[in-house]
Amino acid sequence: MPAHLPQPTDHPPAAAAPRREAAAFAVELLAALLEAGSAAAAARVLLRELAARAGCEHAVLARVEHGDCIAWQSWQAAGALDEKRFLAAADEALDQGLALAWPAQPARPGIVLALRTLAESAGPAAWAVSLPLSADGRPVASLCLLRRDRGGQTPEQSAAALAELEHLCALAAPLLALQLERERGALARLRLQARAWAQGLRGPQGGRRRGVLGLAAAVLLLASLVPVDQRVGGQARVEGAEQRVLAAPVDGFLKAAHVHPGEHVRAGQLLADLAEQDLQLEREKWSSQLAQHENAYAAAMARSDRGEAAVALAKVSEAEAQLALVRGQLQRAQLTAPFDGIVVDGDLGQRIGAPVRQGDALLTVATATRFRVIVQIDERDIAGVRAGQRGVLALSALPWDTLDIRVLRVTPLAKAEESGNVFEVQAELLAGAKRLAEVRPGLQGQAKLVVGRAPWLWGVLQPIARRVRVAAWSWMG
C-alpha cells in the first residue's frame, strides 16, 4: 500500500466511542419511555435515567399547567429535598425558555437567581441545572437536577454534560407530550388548545392573529346587524299563461298531422285531421232518412191522417237532430288552433292511421307571449311566501340572464316530491317583450323569492334552529 495513504485499522478513534455510547443511551431512553404505560410512569423513567446519567442525587420534574410549574415527579438518592426551591428553579428556566446551570457558564446567558439559591443551599461545591421541555413550541414540563459535589468537574465537562441533557430532553419532550395528550379528555384538550392560541395572541408574534381575529369579529358584527334580503327558492318551470288541450271529438282514426311540438300557430290554423269516411256515410244515411220522413209527413197531411202525420213529424225531428250532430262531428274532425300560440305537447307524426277514442288528448297549445312560472317551495320555507313578493328566475337555457318575477298566488295544497313535500307558487314574468322572446314553455331553472329583510346571520341560523327544534320535539315527544 502506498505510504502516503492512511493505514487501515481495526479500532475506531477513541473520540467516537463516547458518541456511540451517548447515542445508544438516547435510544434506550426513548424505548423505555415508549414502553411506559402512562405519562406518570414515563416521567418517572425520564427523571430516574437523567439523574443517573448526570450523577445527581436530587431531581424534580414539574408539569406545566396554565403556564405555571406544578410538582409532578421527584427523585432523591439521599437526604432531604426542598421541593419549593426546585420548583422555583424549574419555573425560572421555563420562563426564559433556556437551559440554565450553576456555576453559570459564560456561553449561556440567563438569569440564575433561583438556581443559584438552590445550589448554594446544597453546599459550595454543588452543581445544579434546570431545563425546559417543549414540544411543537409549547412548554410541557421543566426538569431540575442537583449534585452536591462537582468532584473536580471542569467547566468544559459541565458544559458537555448540560448539552447532553438538553439534547436528551429535546428527544423525550414530544413523547412525554404525546402521553399527556392521550390521557387528557376531549374537553381538556380543547381548553388547552384554546389557551395556547390565546397566549399566542398576546405574544410578540400574535399581531397577525390579532388582525385576523379583529377582521373576523367585524365581519361577524356586520353579519349580525346589517339587514339583507332573505330569499327562499326551489325548482321552477315555465308554462303558458293559458293552455288548451285539443281532444278527439269522436272515435275514429288519425288522418293527418300538420304541426309538431314547438311550432308557432295562428288562431284557426288547421292542426290535424281525423278520418271522415264513417261520418260522411252517417251524414248520407240521416239525410236519406230525413227525406223519407218528410215525404211520409206530406202524404199523411194530404190524406188528412193526423195520427200518421204526427208520427212522421216526430221522425223528421229525430233525423234533423241526428244530421246536425253528424255535421258538427264532421266540423270538429278538423282540429284547429283556438288562439295564437305554440304547440307544447302532442307529436302526432308517428301516429298517422292509429285509432283514437273520443276524449283522447291529441295536442296542447299554449300562449307564446304570456307565461306563468311555477316555483316549488319546500314546506319548511312556505310560511314566509306571500302574493305580491318579487324574485328572480334563472333558467337552465339562459344561465347568464335572470328574469324578474312576481308572486300571484300560493297553492294551498302540498305535493309529494322526491326531495319532500313542496308547495307550488304561481308567479308572473315581469321581463320586457324582447327578453320574453327567448322564453319557451317547458323551460326549467331555479327561482329565488325575496320574503323579507333580516341580518344575514339570522337568515343562516333560523332554518338550522327550526330544524333542531323539530328534531328535539320529535325525540323528546
Side-chain angles (χ1 to χ4, degrees):
M1 179 177 293
H4 63 277
L5 293 178
Q7 300 297 318
T9 177
D10 295 334
H11 303 285
R19 290 197 297 270
R20 288 203 308 274
E21 190 272 336
F25 176 80
V27 171
E28 292 175 357
L29 176 63
L30 295 180
L33 293 178
L34 289 173
E35 292 176 356
S38 64
R44 287 194 295 270
V45 170
L46 177 64
L47 195 63
R48 184 179 65 250
E49 295 296 330
L50 292 185
R53 182 71 175 176
C56 296
E57 296 90 358
H58 301 278
V60 169
L61 183 64
R63 185 173 58 188
V64 178
E65 291 289 347
H66 311 309
D68 298 326
C69 286
I70 300 176
W72 190 13
Q73 298 293 331
S74 60
W75 178 87
Q76 64 271 356
L81 184 147
D82 189 351
E83 191 174 87
K84 291 184 178 179
R85 290 183 178 179
F86 277 88
L87 289 179
D91 201 9
E92 187 177 58
L94 182 67
D95 290 341
Q96 300 177 68
L98 299 173
L100 305 176
W102 181 262
Q105 299 179 6
R108 290 180 177 272
I111 300 174
V112 291
L113 296 179
L115 191 64
R116 177 181 177 180
T117 302
L118 173 65
E120 289 178 348
S121 68
W127 180 72
V129 294
S130 55
L131 305 98
L133 282 74
S134 300
D136 297 329
R138 180 169 56 88
V140 177
S142 186
L143 173 68
C144 185
L145 303 173
L146 174 65
R147 189 169 65 194
R148 292 183 178 277
D149 186 4
R150 293 193 296 272
Q153 188 179 43
T154 64
E156 291 77 11
Q157 291 174 334
S158 298
L162 180 60
E164 183 183 10
L165 289 173
E166 189 175 13
H167 176 66
L168 292 173
C169 287
L171 294 176
L175 295 180
L176 198 60
L178 184 61
Q179 292 273 20
L180 287 170
E181 190 74 15
R182 188 177 60 183
E183 294 180 0
R184 288 192 180 99
L187 185 60
R189 288 197 297 269
L190 183 61
R191 186 168 58 247
L192 185 63
Q193 292 176 358
R195 187 177 294 111
W197 192 78
Q199 290 177 352
L201 285 178
R202 294 192 296 268
Q205 304 298 327
R208 184 174 181 181
R209 289 186 181 181
R210 289 192 294 270
V212 172
L213 185 61
L215 180 61
V219 171
L220 184 62
L221 183 63
L222 289 176
S224 59
L225 295 179
V226 178
V228 296
D229 289 341
Q230 298 297 306
R231 302 172 183 267
V232 298
Q235 293 284 342
R237 66 180 185 273
V238 178
E239 297 179 351
E242 183 180 357
Q243 291 191 163
R244 189 73 56 82
V245 176
L246 304 181
V250 293
D251 296 345
F253 296 89
L254 184 63
K255 179 180 180 181
H258 305 290
V259 294
H260 296 87
E263 293 186 10
H264 288 269
V265 295
R266 307 285 297 179
Q269 179 179 338
L270 183 61
L271 306 180
D273 290 319
L274 298 180
E276 303 172 348
Q277 292 86 347
D278 294 342
L279 291 176
Q280 289 176 351
L281 291 175
E282 189 77 10
R283 182 183 59 183
E284 295 299 329
K285 167 188 171 183
W286 287 109
S287 296
S288 175
Q289 289 187 6
L290 177 60
Q292 292 177 7
H293 296 322
E294 287 177 345
N295 292 333
Y297 174 74
M301 290 298 291
R303 295 193 305 270
S304 299
D305 188 349
R306 293 184 179 274
E308 185 81 17
V311 172
L313 184 59
K315 292 183 178 181
V316 168
S317 298
E318 180 187 4
E320 288 177 345
Q322 291 291 342
L323 186 59
L325 177 62
V326 172
R327 287 172 178 170
Q329 291 176 342
L330 280 171
Q331 291 178 355
R332 293 195 302 275
Q334 293 184 329
L335 303 180
T336 58
F339 47 73
D340 293 347
I342 184 173
V343 179
V344 296
D345 189 24
D347 188 3
L348 303 179
Q350 305 298 323
R351 297 178 57 188
I352 303 300
V356 295
R357 298 188 64 81
Q358 184 178 8
D360 288 349
L362 300 179
L363 294 167
T364 303
V365 180
T367 55
T369 57
R370 294 183 298 112
F371 304 97
R372 69 173 184 176
V373 180
I374 304 299
V375 186
Q376 294 182 340
I377 302 295
D378 190 276
E379 62 180 352
R380 291 168 290 194
D381 301 324
I382 195 62
V385 180
R386 299 285 187 275
Q389 292 173 343
R390 298 201 174 209
V392 293
L393 170 66
L395 296 173
S396 301
L398 304 170
W400 309 113
D401 192 8
T402 58
L403 304 173
D404 295 331
I405 59 176
R406 180 171 56 200
V407 176
L408 294 178
R409 64 186 298 267
V410 179
T411 304
L413 297 177
K415 292 178 58 179
E417 299 288 344
E418 292 182 359
S419 58
N421 285 348
V422 297
F423 285 81
E424 290 192 342
V425 177
Q426 297 182 15
E428 63 176 344
L429 285 172
L430 302 178
K434 182 178 179 180
R435 301 179 69 186
L436 287 178
E438 302 175 348
V439 179
R440 296 287 186 276
L443 292 180
Q444 296 185 350
Q446 286 282 335
K448 297 288 185 181
L449 304 177
V450 179
V451 296
R453 290 179 63 82
W456 178 85
L457 188 61
W458 171 249
V460 172
L461 296 179
Q462 184 183 21
I464 299 175
R466 192 162 51 230
R467 287 167 173 79
V468 170
R469 180 181 179 186
V470 172
W473 182 85
S474 301
W475 179 70
M476 297 176 62

